[in-house]
Each structure stands twice: as C-alpha cells, then as structure tokens.
Amino acid sequence: MNQNPTAARSPSGKIRAVIVDDSALVRKMLAQIINSQPDMEAVGAAPDPIAAREMIRALDPDVITLDVEMPKMDGLEFLEKLMRLRPTPVVMVSTLTEKGSETTLRALELGAVDFVAKPKIDLANGLMEYAREITDKIRVASSARLRRAVPTAAKAGLPALDDRGVSTEKLLVIGASTGGTEAIRELLADLPPDCPAILIAQHMPEGFTRSFAQRLDKQCRITVSEAAHDERMQPGHAYIAPGHSHLLLRRSGASFVTELSQADPVNRHRPSVEVLFSSAAKAAGPNAIGVILTGMGKDGALGLLEMRRAGAHTFAQDEESCVVFGMPKEAIAAGAVDEVVSLSEMSRKVMAQFALMRKSRVRA
C-alpha cells in the first residue's frame, strides 16, 4: 500500500479537485458543490479522458472525480492507466444501474478510493445531502492510502476447518466502509468452503450490494449472497446486508437467522455496522468473531465493544493496510479490539481463532 503521492496542498491549503464528466451540467453542478466548501476547490473540469489527461498533468490535483461511462476512452481503461502511471485518489461518479454498479466495483478493484451516485440534474431537496456526501468522500480520498489491485488468485487459500460443530455453532461478523469492498474480497477469497457463516455490513447504496455479492460469489470458495429476511444461516455462506436495510442476527432455536430492518439510519448509515455488531453481541455472544475493516467515521466501534464484552473475540484492520483508518481507529480507541491485524493476515488469524474455539469446546 502506498501513501497518496499527491497529498501536498496548494498554497491556500485547499484540496484541489479535477472533475471528469461528459455532461456539462454535471460538471457545473459538481464544480459548484466543491467550490462551496472552504477547504476545497475545483481547479479543472474535462469532458472526456483525453482532455483530462493533459489537465491532470498540468494541474496535479489532489483528487479526481471520474465518470464511469465516458466518450473517447472507457472510464475503466483511463483509471487503470492513471493508477499505473500517475497514482491519484479517484472518486467514481456512477449511475445507479446494474451495469453502472458492476463497472464501479471493477473501478474499486483497480484502485478507486470510493464512489458516489451520478447526480440528478433535477435534484432539489436532496441536493444538500448529496453535496455533503460527495464533499465528505473527496476529503477522505485526499488523504487515503492508494492500494494496488490484488488478484483474487494471489493466495492459495486456507485449509478446511474439518469440524462441523465449529462451522455450525460459530459465526464471523464483518463491518467496513471506504475501501471495504476490496478488503472484504481479499479476506473472503482466502476462507475455506466449510468456514462458519459470515454476516457483512458494507456501506453501499441499494442496487450495488447484489452486484457486489454476485461478484464475490464468483471469486471465492464460499457462497456469497445478498441477505434476505429470516434466512437460516449456513456454514460456508456469507450474507451481505442489502443497501436498503440494516442486517441483524437473531437466534431461532438452535439456529442463527438473518433479520432485515428498515429502521432509521444509525451513524448516518443503513445498513449500519453498529446495528449488525450489536445484534451479534446479543444473539451470539462468545460464539462470534467480530472484524472491523477500513472505513471513514466511527460506525461499528460501540457495537464491536458490545461484542467483546459479550465474550466475542474481536479484530481490527491495522492502519498500514487500511485505505482509511477511521472505523478501526475508533474501535481501538473505544477498547473494543482484542487484536490489530494487517489485511493480508486477517483471514489466517480469524481461522486460527476458530480453531482455538474448537479446542475450548472439546475441553469443555
């Protein structure tokens, strides 16, 4: 992982952004939003990657907002070249469609820091919230660590657990935000097919979580799906919170089952990591392992503390391997974390902890 090589600010101290979008109206809207902030400025706007290439070379921006679907050069092709030749933090601007979500997930694999939905020109009441979202993400991107794309097949994968008791009685609960799609992919790709069931809350809008789950399902040895309501959890399966609902865990007899809720956002998020972790603390107690990964903000810190107090073993991703060391840092500061681990070691550490839980069960 590399530190942002363009972290230096202009003499004014502002975050300098270049907007790349084929819509003149969108370029104007994004420029107005960015320039309305006291700590950032839109220093350039380009209608396509060809024009953007020279602009980026001349202006050396701190952050680029990049449209997914662009003329003259595919946005992904441009991003891939940019991350190879001139690594710069990128926030993708994506359409909320199946095609747009798939392209955006590929962009995150290639090294984009985050994404926002393409703004609607007729935004009225939602403009302030949209402005808050995109400017928050530009601020985070300006100081994020840029990560190189990690091939799914880079590691051979961990051996089977070979203990059905542990696989059915225990479970893994994961929370993440900015940078989390790739962190989750790297963690899950290494897990064996018989690992305990997994619940995941990743901050992501409706329409993206299903594509995210389908993509992971093709890349991992376990089965990955978007969670449904009242679903009995199975070993070797990962359940991803849908973008429209909180995901909770509850016990039904001898089984763990999923629960979806459209209650109000928590920590500005639905799905919220806090909600998932808190439910796991109540329903699973010491039968769970909690993992908090890269992300901005504090969502999940207090929920992970609940899990630890309920007897769960808890992990946080270390600063060096995080794209954004926000959520793990808050969890560590709250006293919610048993171990701080690099992303490359997380799956091995988790499975080693499940093995220890198996030994404790045998001794008992």
Side-chain angles (χ1 to χ4, degrees), residues 163-167 169-170 355-364:
D163 189 321
R164 180 162 178 78
V166 169
S167 294
E169 295 169 4
K170 313 301 181 185
L356 287 175
M357 294 164 80
R358 172 181 59 188
K359 292 179 181 178
S360 297
R361 182 172 61 88
V362 171
R363 285 198 298 269

Side-chain angles (χ1 to χ4, degrees), residues 69 88 122 142 175 225 246 308 311 325 336 348:
E69 299 175 3
T88 306
D122 61 352
S142 71
S225 61
H246 295 301
R308 190 180 186 210
F325 189 57
R348 186 182 66 80

Side-chain angles (χ1 to χ4, degrees), residues 265-347:
V266 173
N267 296 324
R268 291 176 53 197
H269 296 289
R270 189 177 66 199
S272 165
V273 179
E274 201 83 77
V275 171
L276 174 58
F277 283 174
S278 180
S279 72
K282 295 178 177 69
N287 289 316
I289 291 177
V291 175
I292 193 161
L293 299 173
T294 174
M296 65 178 178
K298 63 180 182 179
D299 190 31
L302 296 182
L304 194 67
L305 180 60
E306 284 186 59
M307 288 186 68
R308 190 180 186 210
R309 286 175 172 170
H313 195 85
T314 58
F315 294 93
Q317 186 178 348
D318 71 347
E319 182 174 7
E320 183 60 30
S321 65
C322 280
V323 172
V324 179
F325 189 57
M327 286 164 48
K329 181 180 180 180
E330 292 292 336
I332 294 166
V337 177
D338 288 306
E339 296 184 61
V340 180
V341 179
S342 70
L343 180 60
S344 63
E345 288 293 304
M346 188 67 76
S347 55

Side-chain angles (χ1 to χ4, degrees), residues 19-331:
I19 300 161
V20 188
D21 199 293
D22 63 337
S23 167
L25 285 174
V26 171
R27 292 198 302 273
K28 181 179 179 181
M29 178 183 289
L30 292 178
Q32 288 175 340
I33 289 172
I34 292 168
N35 288 329
S36 71
Q37 303 298 304
D39 60 338
M40 61 182 66
E41 58 182 330
V43 295
D48 58 69
I50 305 302
R53 188 167 52 195
E54 297 305 318
M55 188 177 291
I56 292 166
R57 184 178 292 120
L59 296 174
D60 192 24
D62 301 304
V63 179
I64 298 166
T65 69
L66 178 62
D67 189 6
V68 168
E69 299 175 3
M70 304 251 282
K72 297 188 179 179
M73 181 185 291
D74 177 79
L76 292 180
E77 181 184 353
F78 177 68
L79 176 65
E80 189 170 15
K81 290 180 178 179
L82 178 73
M83 299 310 291
R84 186 175 71 250
L85 302 174
R86 193 184 186 89
T88 306
V90 172
V91 176
M92 303 300 295
V93 181
S94 171
T95 54
L96 290 174
T97 63
E98 184 175 353
K99 180 182 177 182
S101 64
E102 290 173 356
T103 304
T104 301
L105 290 168
R106 176 58 182 154
L108 295 172
E109 285 184 5
L110 291 172
V113 174
D114 209 340
F115 68 94
V116 292
K118 186 112 175 175
K120 297 177 181 178
I121 304 305
D122 61 352
L123 271 175
N125 296 332
L127 183 58
M128 288 185 64
E129 183 58 35
Y130 183 82
R132 181 180 181 182
E133 179 186 12
I134 193 166
T135 52
D136 280 352
K137 291 188 175 184
I138 288 172
R139 286 188 188 95
V140 170
S142 71
S143 58
R145 287 178 171 83
L146 300 184
R147 70 190 309 277
R148 301 290 184 186
V150 178
T152 307
K155 293 187 284 187
L158 294 168
L161 190 59
D162 289 330
D163 189 321
R164 180 162 178 78
V166 169
S167 294
T168 55
E169 295 169 4
K170 313 301 181 185
L171 53 89
L172 174 61
V173 188
I174 301 171
S177 185
T178 311
T181 57
E182 285 306 288
I184 290 168
R185 180 174 76 100
E186 188 170 341
L187 196 166
L188 297 190
D190 214 22
L191 296 179
D194 68 340
C195 71
I198 303 164
L199 288 173
I200 300 169
Q202 161 71 45
H203 296 160
M204 188 175 280
E206 184 175 358
F208 281 73
T209 44
R210 179 166 296 179
S211 293
F212 180 45
Q214 290 171 345
R215 194 175 189 87
L216 288 174
D217 188 57
K218 294 174 183 176
Q219 297 171 333
C220 300
R221 294 186 292 165
I222 63 173
T223 299
V224 185
S225 61
E226 187 180 55
H229 183 67
D230 205 26
E231 192 171 5
R232 184 172 176 271
M233 297 182 63
Q234 301 286 341
H237 286 64
Y239 306 84
I240 294 178
H244 54 68
S245 298
H246 295 301
L247 175 60
L248 299 89
L249 173 72
R250 64 182 173 84
R251 186 177 280 280
S252 177
S255 301
F256 291 117
V257 297
T258 60
E259 182 177 322
L260 299 184
S261 166
Q262 292 194 317
D264 291 341
V266 173
N267 296 324
R268 291 176 53 197
H269 296 289
R270 189 177 66 199
S272 165
V273 179
E274 201 83 77
V275 171
L276 174 58
F277 283 174
S278 180
S279 72
K282 295 178 177 69
N287 289 316
I289 291 177
V291 175
I292 193 161
L293 299 173
T294 174
M296 65 178 178
K298 63 180 182 179
D299 190 31
L302 296 182
L304 194 67
L305 180 60
E306 284 186 59
M307 288 186 68
R308 190 180 186 210
R309 286 175 172 170
H313 195 85
T314 58
F315 294 93
Q317 186 178 348
D318 71 347
E319 182 174 7
E320 183 60 30
S321 65
C322 280
V323 172
V324 179
F325 189 57
M327 286 164 48
K329 181 180 180 180
E330 292 292 336

